[in-house]
Amino acid sequence: QVEFVESGGGLVQPGGSQRLSCAASRSSIDVYAMGWHRQAPGKQRELVATFAKGGVINYGSSVKGRFTISGDNAKKTVYLQMTNLQPDDTAVYSCYATNIKTTYWGQGTQVTVSS
C-alpha cells in the first residue's frame, strides 16, 4: 500500500505558474517512476509528466516546454513546476508511483486556470 502526500494546486490566472509536489510516504515499494496524469471534465485522462529511474523524463505533448518535472525516486518524491498556465490546463492532477507491476494513485489535486 502507498500513501501520497500531495500539495499545490488551486486557482491561478492565465499565464501564471504553480508548483505541485508529491511524496509517496510510508511506502515500501521500489519505485520505478513517479509523475502526474490529469483529467479534465468530459475528457480522457492524459499524461502530464513522468520521472523514472535514471532520470528518464517524459512529458505529454500539450505541456512540453511549459512544465518541468523533477524528483528523487530514492526519496519517492516528485515535483511539477507549471508555467504559462492556460485555461485548457484546468484539470484534476493525480500523482502516481509505479514499480512496473503495479501503479498506485494519489487522490488528486484540482488546478483551475481562470481569470
Side-chain angles (χ1 to χ4, degrees):
Q1 192 69 9
V2 177
E3 293 184 11
F4 292 89
V5 178
E6 299 175 87
S7 63
L11 177 65
V12 63
Q13 291 190 339
S17 299
Q18 268 196 356
R19 186 174 187 253
L20 304 180
S21 64
C22 176
S25 66
R26 298 171 58 182
S27 166
S28 61
I29 68 167
D30 182 16
V31 172
Y32 171 75
M34 294 183 69
W36 278 271
H37 281 66
R38 69 184 183 185
Q39 187 164 21
K43 294 186 178 180
Q44 287 190 331
R45 187 170 63 190
E46 64 172 341
L47 169 70
V48 177
T50 297
F51 186 90
K53 274 191 175 180
V56 178
I57 292 175
N58 283 301
Y59 293 102
S61 58
S62 59
V63 307
K64 275 183 181 178
R66 299 188 298 123
F67 292 10
T68 302
I69 191 169
S70 60
D72 186 332
N73 284 338
K75 294 182 179 179
K76 301 171 186 176
T77 59
V78 64
Y79 308 96
L80 185 69
Q81 180 66 46
M82 305 182 290
T83 63
N84 191 24
L85 284 160
Q86 300 300 318
D88 283 349
D89 295 314
T90 296
V92 174
Y93 286 67
S94 297
C95 176
Y96 74 92
T98 183
N99 61 1
I100 299 180
K101 288 177 59 178
T102 305
T103 298
Y104 302 86
W105 293 91
Q107 64 180 16
T109 186
Q110 177 71 44
V111 174
T112 301
V113 185
S114 175
S115 56

